[in-house]
Amino acid sequence: MDLSVNLPGLKLKNPVMPASGCFGFGREYSEFYDLGKLGAVIMKAATGEGRYGNTTPRVAETSSGMLNAIGLQNPGVEKIIANEVPFLAGYDVPIIANVAGSTLEEYVKVASAFNKTKDVHALELNISCPNVKEGGIQFGTEPEMAATVTKKVKEASNLPVYVKLSPNVGNIVAMAKAVEQAGADGLSMINTLTGMQIHLGSKRPLLANKTGGLSGQAIKPVAIRMIYEVKQHVSIPIIGMGGISSAEDVLEFLLAGASAVAVGTANFQNPFACPDIIAALPEVLHKYGFHSVEVAIGKGHEA
Amino acid sequence: MDLSVNLPGLKLKNPVMPASGCFGFGREYSEFYDLGKLGAVIMKAATGEGRYGNTTPRVAETSSGMLNAIGLQNPGVEKIIANEVPFLAGYDVPIIANVAGSTLEEYVKVASAFNKTKDVHALELNISCPNVKEGGIQFGTEPEMAATVTKKVKEASNLPVYVKLSPNVGNIVAMAKAVEQAGADGLSMINTLTGMQIHLGSKRPLLANKTGGLSGQAIKPVAIRMIYEVKQHVSIPIIGMGGISSAEDVLEFLLAGASAVAVGTANFQNPFACPDIIAALPEVLHKYGFHSVEVAIGKGHEA
Amino acid sequence: MKQRVEMIVEAVEKIALDTVEMKLSNDHVAKNAVPGQFLHLQVEGHSLRRPISIADVDAEKGITTILFKELGEGTKRLGAYQPGMRINALGPSGCGFPYQDKSIQKALLIGGGIGVPPLYNLGKELSNHGIEVISVLGFQTKDSVFYEAEFSQLGETHIVTDDGSYGHKGFVTNVLGSIDGYDYYFTCGPIPMLKAVKEKLADKPGYISLEERMGCGVGACFACVIPADNESGYRKICKDGPVFPANEVIL
Amino acid sequence: MKQRVEMIVEAVEKIALDTVEMKLSNDHVAKNAVPGQFLHLQVEGHSLRRPISIADVDAEKGITTILFKELGEGTKRLGAYQPGMRINALGPSGCGFPYQDKSIQKALLIGGGIGVPPLYNLGKELSNHGIEVISVLGFQTKDSVFYEAEFSQLGETHIVTDDGSYGHKGFVTNVLGSIDGYDYYFTCGPIPMLKAVKEKLADKPGYISLEERMGCGVGACFACVIPADNESGYRKICKDGPVFPANEVIL
Ligand SMILES: Cc1cc2nc3c(=O)[nH]c(=O)nc-3n(C[C@H](O)[C@H](O)[C@H](O)COP(=O)(O)OP(=O)(O)OC[C@H]3O[C@@H](n4cnc5c(N)ncnc54)[C@H](O)[C@@H]3O)c2cc1C
Ligand SMILES: Cc1cc2nc3c(=O)[nH]c(=O)nc-3n(C[C@H](O)[C@H](O)[C@H](O)COP(=O)(O)OP(=O)(O)OC[C@H]3O[C@@H](n4cnc5c(N)ncnc54)[C@H](O)[C@@H]3O)c2cc1C
Ligand SMILES: Cc1cc2nc3c(=O)[nH]c(=O)nc-3n(C[C@H](O)[C@H](O)[C@H](O)COP(=O)(O)O)c2cc1C
Ligand SMILES: Cc1cc2nc3c(=O)[nH]c(=O)nc-3n(C[C@H](O)[C@H](O)[C@H](O)COP(=O)(O)O)c2cc1C
Ligand code: FES
Ligand code: FES
């Protein structure tokens, strides 16, 4: 069974990669399995300087999902390039850097910093992190802002850019078209839905940040819908994510129009989630009549 | 324990009512318990003429939730007034009519039709049904459209109007403010999140309508977040809904800022959901230090 | 008033490929069920209930038998239930096969796959009322065949498999031509089969039992409608059905 | 490489108010666990795992004991697990109490509520290594007290209850003044208690074990950080902890 997929900048041996923020920089999960098994690795968000992030509690459990408000904690792009990229480069796996920021300048700074290393293969432009207060949210909900940041980052970077879309919008197709026109090489969708949990005991929002991003199986139908809609209006490839926890889920995303997928929250339930899904994928594809990943992409659309 | 809540047009003996579309016109659940136990009943959507709705399948199961694309099937407002309202009027329970339509004129027609009966106590203006293709979706995602339909319906009706908001928007606060300014007496939120499921066997969207509305516990964090945000910016009362299945959930919605709540999908899991929740509510309120429903409303906001 | 129904699993047995026979105890259900009705079962971890036909009842012992195919996650999970476990049920739900007001001498039962179970309960009842029963049961393969012995005790029974690995080869409609002398037919199975049966037996009065994905299972949500030749233009499978006169619903 | 760990429930017992003692068998865990480490347990129907300290191990029999309070839905569900059931676990996780490289003569253990369990495993180990142990254990009420006899076997044990319904009345810090002669303290419990202990025993070296809501439980998600006096400015409780030198973390 041919699981390989070729995307701008990425020769994937299979379509499954861990989602940004759910896999750190790979060190922890490298203690569970060989990271070379993965289709790619998407690193945790990088910002211009190191950030501590939000105060705790930062996560809450919800029905079939979780809320998180980590707040982009990371050591800053320079330390990531110096300390984390070399570690991942030791594995036979493409590396995608997740680029975040609060200002246009910060996005450009982070993106161009990755030009220095030959070991990063693509950027995932995180214009949608719902937990950044200073302005990150606007980039992800206004088509023009999203287009602007995409353009600037494309100019600054010599890597393919996958723009990660927020689902917290009224018109996801407008966002997708805007960033495609601005030069995005691909899309990554979806990021988390903004949610909240109130703690009955304290009578206050449970997360110190009050709101957090909803992820996990609960959001899968929203992700599938958005990918399906966007697929009908753009021609750049989509990395799909949102609640994937099985090879069947992967196929559902492929049918909806994703060319590859990322697995986030499921890693927390099962640290072997990614290799387990990769191992199960050939049989699932076969069961539903596919002889490769490529042929399944977008097949949910044909009449 | 005082469970009563007074809202425009509605003297509720308790804050729990079945959500529109999840309770038909009450007949079926009246075979399980006395509808007089309920805080109120929200009827299934009424349109100008009878509608058959979408082809089947109309529902799909999701993790901690479900998708539906019923398509506003109903016998039309005149038959509802003639055949359904009198049945419900036989119970000691306030009746809320859910008003839907594809055009401004249809909304006005349906709303004014309810002026004829003395047995309906409030309108819930369903500007957010995601399964109406002809244009219903725009009313619920554009603040100006929402304001216009609210104004027209207020002019046409002699009943308090609760506008039911769609969560499929980038800025829920803007929607809420727009309809408040247009004269809404209250808000009802949230309707379903648009989602999709692809059936692996057929390789097509499972629902005949392709997309459907996601409801159930999965969406509760989104509902809580939106109610919490809106509560900080409007002064009209909110009927909260989205994934409620226990008295603890009701308290969470009260703390977030809802003055009353509606229970939808949970009725399908447990036909006694509403009376069970009402029965459990006093103990839950007591456990968390409240001696009435009124005092809990919005308590999640105080510093 | 309808009641809360909790059933206790008494026995679970694999009786064919992916096919489970489960015996559930609850007096209310066993005493009140009529053939063709179903149970709307809450399976742990699932947000929607699963509709499963009542395949047999022992009113005296308070036992209801269901037969189901492990297809998706819900039925797989249900099949893993152990004796002693409890299942929350709605039911007996829906309207069953009408037969008492008709003066039937001989009935033809036509079942396909998981459409076979409700016909067993019906066949037994008909038999008990002195009505002769002929059964035509279609399955995919030999491995999937179940309850042949049980139906045979009720009368002449024809087994058909898609691949001919057991009984006649082909579809149930292939053998219908050779059967005659019955007043009514009763059928349950996949829609294509029901359509073919309805067409083939257009000159006979019959009742068909339908399936559709359900939300509430009680008639409140309008998930399970089927177009019908009546005033409202539709019927609800969960409440008005699952059994309908063949000429009433539009397949 | 870290392994998949499946543990089998061997025994479940209520040992105090809402407090469950559960014995789990798995050789890998029992052989490798050090005091202060925890298990990250997958509870059926829950999306996040539950971190629970290892309270005792019998390496020979391959048995690990956990003690937990039934607080929310996850721990209630876990408490209802029956012998024979399987639990998927991550662990032994985190870093335990360091004691081997210190030349400790006498150790003071200070536990509060569900912070008591890891101290038992530590106390036993210390004892086995010939280190004298004094324990101060705080509980809410008499009903909540557990493992008094077990700790007493290790050495002098003081029980404190918030309401004085058993042992000393008040907080653990109330009795700390009367205890002396120990080289190190080890503490685990609610944050306010840890803060008070740290302050009161500022002149002593000590180790504290912390709790925080966790996502991954392996160090990948940054959910469980605590501000720290180190270069990065933080430590991860799940990976760098849950045990930290008292002076390293900022409570
Ligand atoms: C009135 C009625 C009686 C039935 N009697 C039997 C019976 O006696 N034995 C038997 O094996 N099956 C019977 N079925 C079909 C049975 O309900 C489905 O096979 C079952 O719901 C599938 O659940 P799942 O979790 O395995 O599948 P999944 O595909 O995982 O289920 C997902 C959702 O789709 C629904 N669904 C999937 N297939 C069907 C279907 N064919 N009909 C209705 N809902 C479906 C499920 O209930 C669930 O809500 C009956 C269906 C109806 C409507
Ligand atoms: C390292 C460590 C060791 C622990 N050891 C023990 C022990 O030995 N015995 C014991 O009874 N408890 C222990 N706890 C606390 C225990 O994890 C929580 O009581 C438990 O997770 C609550 O789950 P729940 O389903 O009952 O509560 P819920 O409130 O329903 O849980 C909701 C979510 O919040 C998390 N959560 C809630 N309270 C806590 C808490 N205090 N700490 C961490 N996460 C929390 C849950 O894990 C879950 O993700 C420990 C916690 C940590 C971090
Ligand atoms: C704890 C946590 C941290 C995350 N951090 C990031 C991040 O830094 N950058 C980013 O683009 N997405 C981040 N995400 C979003 C995920 O990459 C993913 O888009 C989302 O969780 C949906 O996938 P899932 O349902 O499989 O988790 C984070 C998600 C979680 C749960
Ligand atoms: C089957 C179904 C039908 C619905 N029909 C309507 C409707 O006619 N009008 C409406 O305003 N909302 C309708 N809704 C939305 C619910 O009233 C409610 O807003 C939503 O389901 C969230 O609540 P829940 O999670 O408790 O179900 C429907 C929901 C479901 C599940
Ligand atoms: S399933 Fe709700 S009306 Fe039939
Ligand atoms: S829980 Fe994920 S880093 Fe600690």
Side-chain angles (χ1 to χ4, degrees):
Chain A
M1 179 71 63
D2 183 5
L3 298 184
S4 70
V5 181
N6 283 318
L7 299 180
L10 303 168
K11 276 180 78 77
L12 310 177
K13 58 174 92 72
N14 67 63
V16 181
M17 57 191 94
S20 181
C22 301
F23 206 74
F25 299 97
R27 288 183 196 275
E28 293 77 18
Y29 290 100
S30 77
E31 294 175 24
F32 288 91
Y33 57 87
D34 173 10
L35 301 186
K37 290 184 180 177
L38 297 168
V41 169
I42 310 182
M43 294 190 293
K44 182 160 179 45
T47 52
E49 305 300 323
R51 291 199 193 186
Y52 179 77
N54 297 318
T55 38
T56 57
R58 291 177 171 188
V59 291
E61 184 178 71
T62 71
S63 290
S64 295
M66 65 176 285
L67 290 168
N68 90 79
I70 306 296
L72 293 183
Q73 179 160 21
N74 80 98
V77 65
E78 296 302 339
K79 285 196 182 150
I80 290 173
I81 292 169
N83 307 328
E84 309 298 343
V85 172
F87 169 79
L88 281 170
Y91 292 91
D92 173 27
V93 68
I95 302 172
I96 302 172
N98 185 275
V99 173
S102 310
T103 61
L104 207 51
E105 294 66 42
E106 189 175 2
Y107 276 110
V108 168
K109 174 182 168 179
V110 176
S112 49
F114 283 111
N115 289 336
K116 276 190 280 212
T117 163
K118 286 276 152 299
D119 292 324
V120 168
H121 303 83
L123 301 184
E124 181 180 52
L125 188 57
N126 178 7
I127 57 167
S128 52
C129 184
N131 301 320
V132 183
K133 294 253 188 63
E134 297 98 311
I137 191 76
Q138 282 101 330
F139 288 110
T141 53
E142 301 288 333
E144 303 88 57
M145 289 288 278
T148 305
V149 64
T150 303
K151 209 179 226 155
K152 295 274 179 209
V153 163
K154 275 296 291 178
E155 284 166 15
S157 173
N158 52 26
L159 293 172
V161 175
Y162 292 76
V163 180
K164 184 158 181 180
L165 302 183
S166 165
N168 302 294
V169 297
N171 189 343
I172 192 75
V173 171
M175 294 299 302
K177 282 168 135 174
V179 302
E180 181 183 42
Q181 272 165 25
D185 300 280
L187 298 171
S188 182
M189 55 192 292
I190 57 174
N191 210 316
T192 53
L193 278 163
T194 309
M196 181 187 280
Q197 187 171 105
I198 297 185
H199 189 257
L200 300 187
S202 71
K203 302 179 182 60
R204 293 290 168 273
L206 191 149
L207 299 178
N209 187 54
K210 292 189 181 171
T211 61
L214 182 64
S215 64
Q217 302 186 328
I219 69 169
K220 199 182 76 174
V222 175
I224 293 288
R225 186 263 296 182
M226 290 190 163
I227 291 167
Y228 188 94
E229 283 180 359
V230 164
K231 178 71 180 175
Q232 296 182 314
H233 293 94
V234 304
S235 50
I236 49 177
I238 300 168
I239 301 175
M241 66 203 70
I244 294 177
S245 70
S246 69
E248 281 82 2
D249 291 340
V250 173
L251 178 54
E252 192 179 350
F253 275 78
L254 295 174
L255 295 174
S259 296
V261 299
V263 176
T265 305
N267 293 294
F268 305 163
Q269 291 146 350
N270 172 15
F272 298 94
C274 290
D276 283 357
I277 290 170
I278 293 164
L281 194 54
E283 203 184 308
V284 168
L285 287 169
H286 178 76
K287 177 172 169 192
Y288 292 103
F290 297 105
H291 61 272
S292 78
V293 165
E294 293 269 10
V295 296
I297 297 167
K299 269 291 176 304
H301 290 265
E302 286 158 35
Chain B
M1 180 69 66
D2 184 6
L3 298 184
S4 71
V5 182
N6 283 317
L7 299 180
L10 303 168
K11 277 180 79 76
L12 310 175
K13 58 173 92 74
N14 67 64
V16 181
M17 58 191 94
S20 182
C22 301
F23 206 75
F25 299 97
R27 288 183 196 275
E28 293 77 18
Y29 290 101
S30 77
E31 295 175 24
F32 288 92
Y33 58 86
D34 173 9
L35 302 186
K37 290 184 181 177
L38 298 168
V41 169
I42 310 182
M43 294 190 293
K44 183 162 178 44
T47 52
E49 306 299 323
R51 291 198 193 186
Y52 179 78
N54 297 318
T55 38
T56 57
R58 291 178 171 187
V59 291
E61 184 178 70
T62 71
S63 289
S64 294
M66 65 177 283
L67 290 168
N68 90 80
I70 306 296
L72 293 183
Q73 179 160 22
N74 79 99
V77 65
E78 296 301 338
K79 285 196 183 151
I80 290 174
I81 292 170
N83 307 327
E84 308 298 342
V85 172
F87 168 79
L88 281 170
Y91 292 92
D92 173 27
V93 67
I95 302 172
I96 301 172
N98 185 274
V99 172
S102 310
T103 60
L104 207 52
E105 294 67 42
E106 188 175 2
Y107 277 109
V108 168
K109 174 183 168 178
V110 175
S112 49
F114 283 111
N115 289 336
K116 274 190 281 210
T117 163
K118 286 277 155 296
D119 293 324
V120 169
H121 303 84
L123 301 184
E124 182 180 52
L125 188 59
N126 178 7
I127 57 168
S128 51
C129 184
N131 300 321
V132 183
K133 293 255 187 60
E134 298 97 311
I137 191 75
Q138 283 101 329
F139 288 109
T141 53
E142 302 287 334
E144 305 88 56
M145 288 290 278
T148 305
V149 63
T150 302
K151 209 179 225 155
K152 295 275 179 209
V153 163
K154 275 297 290 180
E155 283 166 14
S157 173
N158 52 26
L159 293 172
V161 174
Y162 292 76
V163 180
K164 184 157 181 179
L165 301 183
S166 165
N168 302 296
V169 297
N171 188 343
I172 191 76
V173 171
M175 294 299 303
K177 282 168 135 176
V179 302
E180 181 183 41
Q181 273 165 25
D185 300 279
L187 299 170
S188 182
M189 56 193 290
I190 59 175
N191 211 317
T192 53
L193 279 163
T194 308
M196 182 187 279
Q197 187 171 105
I198 297 185
H199 188 257
L200 302 186
S202 70
K203 302 179 183 60
R204 292 292 169 273
L206 191 149
L207 298 177
N209 187 55
K210 294 189 180 170
T211 62
L214 182 63
S215 63
Q217 302 186 326
I219 70 168
K220 198 183 75 172
V222 175
I224 292 288
R225 186 264 295 181
M226 290 191 163
I227 292 168
Y228 187 93
E229 284 180 358
V230 164
K231 178 72 180 172
Q232 296 183 314
H233 293 93
V234 303
S235 50
I236 49 176
I238 301 167
I239 301 176
M241 66 203 71
I244 295 176
S245 70
S246 69
E248 282 81 2
D249 291 340
V250 173
L251 178 54
E252 191 178 350
F253 275 78
L254 295 174
L255 295 173
S259 296
V261 300
V263 175
T265 306
N267 292 294
F268 306 163
Q269 291 146 352
N270 172 15
F272 298 95
C274 290
D276 283 358
I277 290 170
I278 293 163
L281 194 54
E283 203 184 307
V284 168
L285 288 169
H286 177 77
K287 176 173 171 193
Y288 292 102
F290 297 105
H291 60 273
S292 77
V293 165
E294 293 269 9
V295 296
I297 297 167
K299 269 290 177 303
H301 289 265
E302 286 158 35
Chain C
M1 287 280 163
K2 288 191 183 169
Q3 307 176 9
R4 285 174 209 266
V5 174
E6 199 164 67
M7 309 188 78
I8 299 171
V9 179
E10 298 292 335
V12 192
E13 203 187 327
K14 266 266 159 74
I15 56 166
L17 181 71
D18 299 333
T19 309
V20 175
E21 178 191 71
M22 185 178 273
K23 293 189 183 291
L24 300 164
S25 65
N26 176 290
D27 283 338
H28 173 75
V29 174
K31 290 228 166 65
N32 292 288
V34 300
Q37 285 187 304
F38 68 97
L39 296 171
H40 208 32
L41 298 173
Q42 186 165 47
V43 181
E44 170 108 45
H46 285 272
S47 41
L48 293 179
R49 290 168 178 266
R50 298 305 192 262
I52 303 286
S53 301
I54 293 170
D56 196 4
V57 284
D58 184 331
E60 231 160 83
K61 295 199 179 130
I63 301 285
T64 302
T65 301
I66 57 174
L67 301 170
F68 59 90
K69 191 131 186 172
E70 297 181 334
L71 282 173
E73 283 182 40
T75 47
K76 274 184 195 135
R77 180 110 182 218
L78 186 62
Y81 271 45
Q82 297 295 317
M85 288 174 73
R86 282 152 197 280
I87 303 182
N88 180 296
L90 290 181
S93 293
C95 299
F97 292 103
Y99 62 91
Q100 284 165 313
D101 54 333
K102 336 250 172 272
S103 54
I104 310 179
Q105 306 286 324
K106 195 168 175 181
L108 175 61
L109 311 183
I110 310 153
I114 54 166
V116 169
L119 298 178
Y120 181 62
N121 195 17
L122 174 66
K124 260 180 77 173
E125 280 262 324
L126 294 173
S127 236
N128 289 343
H129 286 75
I131 300 166
E132 216 181 304
V133 171
I134 307 175
S135 307
V136 179
L137 311 176
F139 299 93
Q140 283 187 299
T141 60
K142 186 181 173 181
D143 298 347
S144 318
V145 176
F146 61 87
Y147 267 41
E148 183 186 10
E150 284 82 350
F151 276 93
S152 298
Q153 287 200 332
L154 305 177
E156 186 184 323
T157 298
H158 305 263
I159 305 290
V160 185
T161 54
D162 294 6
D163 63 355
S165 52
Y166 191 78
H168 307 267
K169 181 184 161 101
F171 301 111
V172 290
T173 39
N174 297 153
V175 302
L176 292 185
S178 64
I179 298 166
D180 211 356
Y182 54 91
D183 327 292
Y184 273 85
Y185 73 88
F186 299 92
T187 184
C188 184
I191 294 279
M193 181 197 101
L194 298 179
K195 270 191 181 159
V197 168
K198 188 177 159 178
E199 215 167 279
K200 188 122 190 173
L201 306 184
D203 55 333
K204 291 270 187 188
Y207 284 87
I208 62 177
S209 179
L210 295 174
E211 283 181 15
E212 186 50 81
R213 284 170 195 257
M214 293 185 179
C216 65
V218 302
C221 77
F222 292 78
C224 67
V225 297
I226 173 120
D229 262 344
N230 65 352
E231 202 210 312
S232 67
Y234 70 89
R235 307 297 313 262
K236 293 176 195 159
I237 291 177
C238 67
K239 196 185 179 188
D240 307 322
V243 175
F244 297 97
N247 58 7
E248 190 181 304
V249 289
I250 303 155
L251 295 181
Chain D
M1 286 280 163
K2 289 190 182 169
Q3 307 176 8
R4 285 173 210 266
V5 174
E6 198 164 67
M7 309 189 79
I8 299 172
V9 179
E10 298 292 336
V12 192
E13 203 186 327
K14 267 266 158 76
I15 57 166
L17 182 70
D18 298 336
T19 309
V20 175
E21 178 190 71
M22 185 178 272
K23 294 188 184 291
L24 299 165
S25 64
N26 177 289
D27 283 337
H28 173 74
V29 174
K31 290 228 165 67
N32 292 290
V34 300
Q37 285 188 306
F38 68 99
L39 296 170
H40 208 33
L41 299 173
Q42 187 165 47
V43 181
E44 169 108 46
H46 286 272
S47 41
L48 294 179
R49 289 169 179 266
R50 298 303 191 263
I52 303 286
S53 300
I54 293 170
D56 196 6
V57 283
D58 184 331
E60 230 159 82
K61 294 200 181 130
I63 300 285
T64 302
T65 301
I66 57 174
L67 301 170
F68 60 90
K69 192 131 186 170
E70 296 182 332
L71 283 173
E73 283 182 40
T75 47
K76 274 183 196 137
R77 180 113 182 214
L78 186 60
Y81 272 45
Q82 297 295 318
M85 287 173 74
R86 283 153 196 279
I87 303 183
N88 181 295
L90 290 182
S93 294
C95 300
F97 292 104
Y99 63 92
Q100 284 165 311
D101 52 335
K102 335 254 173 268
S103 53
I104 309 180
Q105 306 286 326
K106 195 169 173 181
L108 175 62
L109 311 183
I110 310 153
I114 54 167
V116 169
L119 298 178
Y120 181 63
N121 196 17
L122 174 66
K124 261 180 75 174
E125 281 263 325
L126 293 173
S127 234
N128 288 345
H129 286 74
I131 300 166
E132 216 180 305
V133 171
I134 307 177
S135 307
V136 179
L137 311 176
F139 299 94
Q140 283 187 300
T141 60
K142 185 180 175 184
D143 298 348
S144 318
V145 177
F146 61 87
Y147 267 40
E148 183 187 8
E150 284 82 350
F151 276 93
S152 298
Q153 288 202 332
L154 306 177
E156 186 185 323
T157 298
H158 305 264
I159 305 290
V160 185
T161 53
D162 294 5
D163 63 355
S165 52
Y166 191 78
H168 307 268
K169 181 184 158 102
F171 301 111
V172 290
T173 40
N174 297 153
V175 303
L176 292 185
S178 64
I179 299 166
D180 211 357
Y182 54 92
D183 327 291
Y184 272 86
Y185 72 89
F186 298 93
T187 185
C188 184
I191 294 279
M193 182 196 100
L194 298 179
K195 270 190 180 160
V197 167
K198 188 177 161 181
E199 216 167 280
K200 188 122 190 172
L201 306 183
D203 56 332
K204 291 270 187 188
Y207 283 87
I208 62 177
S209 178
L210 296 173
E211 284 181 14
E212 186 49 81
R213 285 172 194 256
M214 293 185 178
C216 65
V218 302
C221 78
F222 293 77
C224 67
V225 297
I226 174 120
D229 261 343
N230 66 352
E231 201 210 313
S232 68
Y234 69 89
R235 308 296 314 262
K236 293 176 196 160
I237 292 178
C238 67
K239 195 184 180 189
D240 307 321
V243 175
F244 297 99
N247 59 6
E248 189 181 305
V249 288
I250 302 155
L251 295 182

